[in-house]
Amino acid sequence: MDSLGWIDEEIEELKAASLFRDPAVIATASGPEVEIAGSSCVLACSNNYLGLAGDARLAKAAADAAADWGAGSGASPLVAGLTSLHRELEGELAKLKSAEDAVLFSSGYLANIGAIQSLAGPGDAVFSDELNHASIIDGCRLSRAEVRIWRHCDPGHLAELLAAGGFRRALVVTDAVFSMDGDVAPLGEICEVAGEHEAMVMVDEAHATGVLGPAGAGAVEHLGLVGQVPVVMGTLSKALGSAGGFIAGPRVLCAWLRNRARGLIYETAPVPAAVGAALEALRVVAEEPWRRERLTELRERVVAGIREAGFEVADGPAPIIPVIVGGSQDAMDLAAALRRQGVFAPAIRPPTVPEGTARIRLTLMATHTDHHAGMIVAAFGAAAAR
Ligand SMILES: *Cc1c(COP(=O)(O)O)cnc(C)c1O
């Protein structure tokens, strides 16, 4: 029992540094409004951008898939095969991304780890933006390739690092939309620089799939680069309202991943319910472009309102609004003030974001009403007035 005594001390240190975390317990389905500790509040921090996680059509598709295909998948696809339902989803994801094929993983985290590890190894170099998601960082570490970090969204710096050479093969990897800042990577320049060195390019579209681009295909589509990024990662768990991750790309890439990605080979295939829900989500993404338009409209309104309340916020095409306050305690105080006004958006602190950049990371949902947007803005106004 006392062998775990050291954890108490570590936790006390976290608490003293305002870095201790304890997930809020939500008493309702994920939606624009949720109930926490007996009171209703506007949920302004979910990645359920299109509002599909609680959509009745997805819930029904999940239930139908479970009824038809069972509750579990039983084994890794390499052991027990892949159902035609899983294969159908891979085909639809490939279509969304205008790719030859796609490979399904149980999560976006596993997709990133699996792909990076399959594409780079000892003797190779992985080039990674300094603000890339933790799953990319972990994939880089597991690959045992040399990792070279370029300054955030700075293709010039990437070019310098690539020019230094000293590797067998190079993999360039970046978030498309940065999860904590909402900015979009300069993918055109990155592809150009990588092309000069025959480096592979991999883009993480976790926050862009379903959200950006005329068809909701992501940042690659938004920037007019369809067909120019060979390795595209996405997740089913954010805008698509389900669970799971995928890599879309050329047929050879997908065949290679099925043979090499440990996060696929040693992991049971995603459950049929998640696959069924994701297939339904793709139909909604195609048929209801109003959800993407609504996100833009809401973002413009909320950004303008928060700025008017005296906060400095960056603005971009993604529905992620970072309100950077600096210190962890200040961010927690602001989160508490928002909470008192009926808005739930917790403080994001190191190590999720760099030291000194603790923040409220506001995210919007297509199903937020005008009233919800007004409440979010009013909550910042009230917090500023204190
Ligand atoms: C959430 C996220 C992932 C992981 O996706 P999951 O499906 O939740 O495992 C990967 N990359 C980025 C940028 C993310 O934000």
Side-chain angles (χ1 to χ4, degrees):
M1 152 98 209
D2 251 342
S3 63
L4 298 182
W6 62 272
I7 296 177
D8 268 338
E9 288 168 32
E10 294 279 340
I11 284 183
E12 282 318 309
E13 268 178 44
L14 284 179
K15 285 180 176 166
S18 303
L19 291 176
F20 186 70
R21 301 144 190 243
D22 194 15
V25 177
I26 313 281
T28 48
S30 185
E33 250 179 65
V34 293
E35 190 190 311
I36 303 174
S39 68
S40 167
C41 54
V42 179
L43 184 64
C45 52
S46 167
N47 300 321
N48 175 21
Y49 302 115
L50 299 180
L52 295 181
D55 190 287
R57 293 167 294 177
L58 268 73
K60 178 168 186 309
D64 288 350
D68 292 347
W69 297 92
S73 290
S76 157
L78 266 74
V79 174
L82 205 59
T83 71
S84 49
L85 184 75
H86 289 76
R87 198 57 203 133
E88 182 188 346
L89 178 57
E90 290 184 334
E92 291 301 320
L93 290 167
K95 238 187 262 172
L96 177 72
K97 297 291 186 180
S98 303
E100 283 180 2
D101 197 3
V103 182
L104 206 52
F105 290 77
S106 290
S107 74
Y109 192 99
L110 285 167
N112 268 338
I113 289 181
I116 295 170
Q117 211 178 28
S118 305
L119 294 173
D124 299 328
V126 187
F127 296 81
S128 176
D129 184 288
E130 66 180 331
L131 292 188
N132 273 345
H133 189 258
S135 55
I136 294 178
I137 296 171
D138 292 354
C140 290
R141 288 180 183 152
L142 283 168
S143 75
R144 290 180 293 148
E146 193 193 316
V147 183
R148 303 184 191 176
I149 311 292
W150 85 78
R151 284 191 297 271
H152 181 53
C153 286
D154 184 348
H157 190 213
L158 169 63
E160 269 174 48
L161 295 180
L162 275 164
F167 47 79
R168 180 182 58 163
R169 284 192 289 265
L171 171 66
V172 170
V173 56
T174 182
D175 276 15
V177 170
F178 287 85
S179 54
M180 294 300 134
D181 294 82
D183 51 342
V184 178
L187 297 178
E189 285 102 315
I190 288 171
C191 286
E192 215 167 284
V193 166
E196 286 164 19
H197 297 271
E198 283 186 27
M200 301 172 276
V201 177
M202 170 171 166
V203 170
D204 175 336
E205 296 250 54
H207 294 277
T209 301
V211 176
L212 294 186
V220 170
E221 186 196 26
H222 172 75
L223 295 171
L225 298 170
V226 171
Q228 293 183 48
V229 178
V231 189
V232 175
M233 173 272 176
T235 170
L236 309 177
S237 38
K238 288 170 180 159
L240 299 183
S242 180
F246 66 92
I247 301 284
R251 216 165 268 121
V252 284
L253 168 75
C254 295
W256 181 244
L257 293 181
R258 292 189 181 100
N259 281 272
R260 275 290 177 273
R262 295 169 64 86
L264 179 111
I265 299 171
Y266 299 104
E267 168 88 2
T268 302
V271 297
V275 175
L279 276 166
E280 182 64 20
L282 290 178
R283 275 188 283 275
V284 176
V285 163
E287 284 165 17
E288 299 180 0
W290 66 261
R291 290 177 188 268
R292 291 187 285 286
E293 290 152 19
R294 173 73 180 156
L295 279 173
T296 302
E297 185 189 308
L298 281 167
R299 192 198 73 242
E300 284 167 0
R301 188 179 315 181
V302 169
V303 164
I306 293 177
R307 282 180 177 162
E308 212 161 291
F311 293 88
E312 248 179 68
V313 289
D315 191 16
I320 300 172
I321 307 169
V323 186
I324 298 175
V325 294
S328 292
Q329 190 57 48
D330 290 341
M332 283 172 71
D333 291 346
L334 178 53
L338 297 176
R339 191 58 214 291
R340 282 192 293 274
Q341 302 297 318
V343 172
F344 181 56
I348 308 283
R349 294 162 276 167
T352 309
V353 293
E355 205 61 52
T357 70
R359 67 195 66 186
I360 301 296
R361 170 187 179 266
L362 277 183
T363 55
L364 300 170
M365 256 179 254
T367 45
H368 277 138
T369 62
D370 292 353
H371 176 66
H372 293 142
M375 275 183 73
I376 293 170
V377 169
F380 277 91
R386 283 188 325 131

